[in-house]
Amino acid sequence: MYNRPAVVLFLSCLTLSAAVHAQPNNGRWSFNGYGTLGAAHSSERRADYIPNPVNSEGPGRSYRWDPLLDSRAALQVSVEPNEKLYGVVQVVVEKRFDGKFKPKVEWANLQYSLSPSFSVRAGRIALGTYLVSDHRKVGYSLPWLRPPAELYQLVAITNSDGVGFTYQHDFDNSTYSLTTHYGSNKAEEFVGLLEASNIWGVVNQIERGPLTLHASYTATKVKYGPIFQNLWSGYRAFGPAGASVAQRYDATGKWSPFIAAGIRYDPGNWFAMAEWGKGDVGSDFDNRSGWYVSAGYRVGTVSPYLTFARADGGHRSVNGLNAAAFPAALAPAVASLNFGLLEMQQGYAARQQTTSLGARWDVIPSVVAKLQIDHIKTRKESIGTFNNMARGYRPRGADVVSLTVDFVF
Amino acid sequence: MTGKIDQAVGLLLRLVLPIALLVMVLVAVLPAFAQSAFAADGRTGNDNASLNDDIVVIVSSLNSVKTLTRDHVEDIFLGRMQQFPNEQRAVPIDQAEGLAVREHFNMEMLGRTSAQVRAHWSRILFTGRGRPPRSVASNEDMLHAVAADTHAIGYIERRFVDDSVVVVFE
């Protein structure tokens, strides 16, 4: 079940980690990496728990203990030819949607400092949609085992190919940063390939001592894959009534805005965080939102935490075609289209809540171990963040237990 | 009914047992680590006060900056600020990982444990926004590195301070 290339890469990272650590930092080139080795188990055996839509499988129906839900390894090379220029390339190996482990370039960009407070970046750059979205894959840097699914599943992409401008300034005791970005991305999810040819956004962050405030606006124009296109052409085949359904639900060519706001207070011995986000695709699928509150404290090397998260939005039913308006022979075709539309609606907005209890343990300086137990309940006739179940089966929830070891070097 | 019992037994085997095993392992292993951690604290604890009092933040005597606030020091060492208040570029230098002077600097001046500082830099590093400060192996090396570079800022135990550097925060 373990994938050999991933294990080999993980082990070579650990070896390199030891080798690189022994060398003095010469200041120009640096070589770093991070990784996570994990296992997750779900009590719901008839469906997969999929907290991140970029995954196609998870613990539950596909795996009794899924070793690949949280596991990944990454290598990063950065270079600073002079004090104004900074280049970085990061390659991540993790299980992709297609089940393969082809390494993926997470970031590859050049950053140029125009002045101490103004810099420009070009290439594949990080998107700071959420408080921890740009480093959500770096398990070591997170207080939790993984970011709360209810919010973070809403925007799964972490990078964009394009340009970004950052302005950073200190106002007595506070650091303010404003980043604007423009670019494109594509991602494979359950609804097929999503091509976002236009992504732009603004990210604001203020840090004042232990307090961090974060707010972001992201707008994307998405081209939906063949699964959607087939559904719309199916509806259009039913004349004006069908075309009207397609028109109401098809979000192609429309801007989908997403706003998020977060707050973190971390004075050292304890921390508290809360975040909220809401977006829509400009169609009758309506909006979807998620939020969480989390708090933890640090006793020596152990940091237990408690998180409550909830996702909402979408609709329980869809406003498709009325089968009665068509000849009886067409009823099965109408029902099938409406069912497809309902599945899209279900997949679009997960209504779910999770209570998570976990602990982070700083084993040695660059290695942490984490244990997390999630009590998940789907709400309002939603399938939540579950998938791969038999047609018509609706998971009520699950208890998921996960273990990880994270490292950085 | 038997279905319910099966379910309960299944849940017990699949969920409760692994957790119980894990807790047992943690309980068995933790005290060993906790002890060594406390032992380390205890060791430095004896000279805690003297080492703590002794750490000073320095810049080159060629630098026109003569004093800094705690916020400046914190911002520069956490990568939030890349310049001194006089708008000259600031390049922080750390002492090597594991040295008591670094642990104390992190706690006293940055208000963070070394693990927190490392997590902070891993966030910046792996999002391509910057790199942690380079480090030197000893107080002597720090003195020479800072004295030689007008942009440098570092920290040493006070007894190593000489004319080549200026104490900007203590």
Side-chain angles (χ1 to χ4, degrees):
Chain A
M1 193 141 61
Y2 285 90
N3 181 282
R4 191 167 292 172
V7 173
V8 168
L9 189 80
F10 184 84
L11 292 175
S12 41
C13 281
L14 282 178
T15 320
L16 281 167
S17 157
V20 171
H21 232 88
Q23 289 174 7
N25 184 348
N26 69 11
R28 289 197 154 215
W29 285 90
S30 51
F31 185 76
N32 305 88
Y34 63 84
T36 297
L37 199 59
H41 172 87
S42 168
S43 62
E44 169 58 90
R45 298 296 310 278
R46 296 165 73 186
D48 282 349
Y49 174 61
I50 302 181
N52 189 335
V54 299
N55 295 324
S56 57
E57 291 177 325
R61 196 177 183 198
S62 300
Y63 299 92
R64 195 168 265 266
W65 280 94
D66 186 351
L68 298 167
L69 182 69
D70 301 298
S71 300
R72 63 177 59 88
L75 293 174
Q76 175 172 306
V77 178
S78 53
V79 62
E80 206 172 347
N82 59 56
E83 61 197 66
K84 298 227 176 249
L85 206 57
Y86 181 74
V88 61
V89 175
Q90 184 183 118
V91 176
V92 179
V93 177
E94 61 188 340
K95 190 180 176 187
R96 294 154 61 115
F97 192 86
D98 59 10
K100 297 197 172 83
F101 290 83
K102 203 172 143 199
K104 195 179 169 204
V105 176
E106 182 74 13
W107 341 113
N109 61 66
L110 273 177
Q111 183 179 323
Y112 183 76
S113 304
L114 299 161
S115 75
S117 49
F118 201 68
S119 63
V120 55
R121 264 193 237 188
R124 181 163 291 180
I125 57 177
L127 291 181
T129 316
Y130 302 117
L131 259 178
V132 310
S133 58
D134 52 3
H135 57 277
R136 68 200 278 178
K137 293 184 178 177
V138 191
Y140 180 88
S141 71
L142 302 176
W144 325 286
L145 192 134
R146 69 178 81 87
E150 278 74 5
L151 178 66
Y152 279 73
Q153 49 111 9
L154 296 176
V155 177
I157 56 168
T158 52
N159 57 41
S160 152
D161 294 342
V163 288
F165 300 89
T166 299
Y167 170 77
Q168 186 174 323
H169 197 76
D170 289 281
F171 298 99
D172 59 11
N173 303 342
S174 307
T175 309
Y176 173 74
S177 79
L178 172 85
T179 301
T180 59
H181 58 85
Y182 177 79
S184 66
N185 190 330
K186 54 186 164 197
E188 199 174 6
E189 295 188 13
F190 273 99
V191 291
L193 186 71
L194 300 178
E195 280 181 78
S197 49
N198 288 290
I199 304 174
W200 73 271
V202 183
V203 181
N204 287 282
Q205 187 154 307
I206 299 171
E207 285 175 84
R208 189 188 174 98
L211 181 70
T212 305
L213 297 171
H214 181 98
S216 76
Y217 175 87
T218 314
T220 45
K221 207 183 245 183
V222 181
K223 198 176 137 200
Y224 298 85
I227 301 179
F228 275 96
Q229 299 317 322
N230 292 343
L231 187 68
W232 308 141
S233 47
Y235 271 111
R236 287 194 188 100
F238 281 83
S244 139
V245 175
Q247 202 216 328
R248 278 186 282 115
Y249 282 96
D250 186 3
T252 298
K254 291 174 183 165
W255 284 103
S256 15
F258 188 85
I259 49 169
I263 179 168
R264 170 169 54 208
Y265 192 79
D266 187 347
N269 296 330
W270 59 280
F271 70 88
M273 288 168 80
E275 242 186 315
W276 166 87
K278 184 174 185 175
D280 73 63
V281 289
S283 89
D284 273 9
F285 286 125
D286 212 356
N287 60 49
R288 51 184 177 175
S289 62
W291 57 267
Y292 70 84
V293 287
S294 182
Y297 63 98
R298 302 185 176 95
V299 235
T301 55
V302 180
S303 320
Y305 57 87
L306 184 67
T307 306
F308 182 79
R310 182 178 270 194
D312 223 324
H315 297 288
R316 296 179 204 207
S317 58
V318 286
N319 191 2
L321 276 178
N322 180 6
F326 295 94
L330 291 175
V334 171
S336 161
L337 282 174
N338 287 345
F339 183 80
L341 187 63
L342 182 63
E343 287 217 309
M344 296 288 182
Q345 175 75 75
Q346 286 275 22
Y348 168 70
R351 294 177 294 278
Q352 171 176 294
Q353 69 183 43
T354 300
T355 310
S356 305
L357 179 67
R360 170 193 166 113
W361 173 32
D362 286 79
V363 187
I364 55 168
S366 333
V367 179
V368 301
K370 288 176 195 156
L371 167 69
Q372 183 170 311
I373 298 162
D374 302 295
H375 180 64
I376 303 147
K377 267 163 58 181
T378 59
R379 301 168 57 239
K380 299 180 190 165
E381 296 167 36
S382 169
I383 56 168
T385 61
F386 293 86
N387 217 319
N388 297 337
M389 52 275 187
R391 191 171 167 143
Y393 177 68
R394 184 169 71 80
R396 300 291 159 112
D399 288 309
V400 172
V401 56
S402 317
L403 291 158
T404 55
V405 174
D406 306 300
F407 67 90
V408 287
F409 66 87
Chain B
M1 184 61 199
T2 45
K4 280 257 160 70
I5 292 170
D6 276 356
Q7 260 184 359
V9 172
L11 192 73
L12 188 80
L13 285 174
R14 273 183 255 126
L15 269 178
V16 182
L17 275 184
I19 295 171
L21 273 173
L22 186 90
V23 169
M24 275 154 62
V25 170
L26 284 182
V27 166
V29 176
L30 257 180
F33 276 96
Q35 239 170 21
S36 62
F38 286 133
D41 278 350
R43 180 169 45 76
T44 53
N46 291 335
D47 51 342
N48 194 2
S50 59
L51 183 59
N52 175 16
D53 286 343
D54 267 340
I55 295 178
V56 291
V57 179
I58 54 168
V59 299
S60 166
S61 56
L62 303 171
N63 194 324
S64 62
V65 173
K66 299 300 172 207
T67 179
L68 289 175
T69 65
R70 177 184 293 270
D71 287 323
H72 289 139
V73 172
E74 198 179 314
D75 285 345
I76 291 170
F77 274 89
L78 293 178
R80 292 177 187 160
M81 215 164 102
Q82 283 82 38
Q83 51 181 327
F84 291 110
N86 66 5
E87 307 214 329
Q88 285 291 305
R89 193 164 58 92
V91 180
I93 303 175
D94 230 334
Q95 297 243 17
E97 204 160 297
L99 291 180
V101 61
R102 172 157 161 170
E103 307 289 315
H104 281 271
F105 174 77
N106 287 341
M107 282 307 286
E108 304 304 324
M109 309 266 180
L110 307 183
R112 287 165 167 81
T113 64
S114 289
Q116 282 174 274
V117 174
R118 212 173 288 113
H120 170 85
W121 277 109
S122 70
R123 288 200 283 269
I124 293 174
L125 178 69
F126 293 117
T127 50
R129 284 181 288 154
R131 292 196 289 199
R134 72 185 174 95
S135 58
V136 293
S138 66
N139 284 301
E140 290 90 343
D141 289 353
M142 178 66 89
L143 184 73
H144 296 139
V146 171
D149 183 353
T150 53
H151 295 295
I153 173 169
Y155 55 89
I156 52 174
E157 291 174 61
R158 188 192 293 276
R159 63 179 185 278
F160 291 90
V161 171
D162 68 17
D163 292 348
S164 66
V165 296
V166 174
V167 172
V168 287
F169 183 75
E170 51 195 294

